[in-house]
Amino acid sequence: MTETLFSKIINREIPADIVYEDDECLCFKDVNPQAPVHYLLIPKKPIDRLTSAMPDDQYMLGYLLLKAKQIMADAGHGDAFRLVINNGPGAGQTVFHLHIHMLAGRAMGWPPG
Ligand code: AMP
């Protein structure tokens, strides 16, 4: 996979406001927040989008969801948050390293835009 903004953040080539990190994943604040809390959770494994995930990514994908739950709870938003994955340009994906948007701190409308 080619280098992306997010692989550069993992490698500390560009700065980010990091919220959480372990061997599997990195969580940092979105530079253009759409809610009072807007974090991005990414796997360290370079995978460009959800549709590129393979059966052996099952553990990593489950790990990210459970980690998102923990990070939101630690931020005081364990009861009300939204997770979003934009898959492909038609769905609004602009950075091609899989990421989960984690949004909280305001009322969320439905349907999403
Ligand atoms: P998406 O449109 O789903 O691909 O989301 C990409 C997200 O990355 C957007 O919400 C951007 O605001 C965010 N973003 C872009 N560059 C950075 C950066 N250097 N640090 C943190 N977030 C970023």
Side-chain angles (χ1 to χ4, degrees):
M1 202 176 94
T2 52
E3 260 205 333
T4 65
L5 269 175
F6 293 173
S7 62
K8 289 180 181 172
I9 288 174
I10 291 170
N11 295 328
R12 304 301 199 268
E13 292 165 33
I14 60 173
D17 197 341
I18 292 171
V19 174
Y20 176 84
E21 180 171 23
D22 63 24
D23 289 344
E24 293 281 342
C25 67
L26 185 67
C27 180
F28 51 94
K29 294 183 181 177
D30 195 297
V31 279
N32 183 23
Q34 302 302 311
V37 174
H38 186 174
Y39 300 159
L40 298 170
L41 180 62
I42 67 174
K44 289 192 171 172
K45 176 177 177 177
I47 176 169
D48 68 335
R49 66 187 80 190
L50 185 61
T51 43
S52 298
M54 300 307 245
D56 65 357
D57 293 314
Q58 184 171 327
Y59 172 82
M60 178 268 285
L61 293 171
Y63 186 85
L64 290 177
L65 284 180
L66 290 173
K67 197 52 70 175
K69 176 189 82 160
Q70 180 199 319
I71 292 168
M72 286 288 95
D74 291 348
H77 294 283
D79 286 335
F81 59 86
R82 179 172 288 176
L83 305 181
V84 174
I85 297 175
N86 295 325
N87 185 85
Q93 186 175 4
T94 59
V95 179
F96 290 88
H97 182 120
L98 175 64
H99 51 282
I100 301 176
H101 293 264
M102 304 161 66
L103 301 147
R106 65 164 169 81
M108 300 287 165
W110 195 264

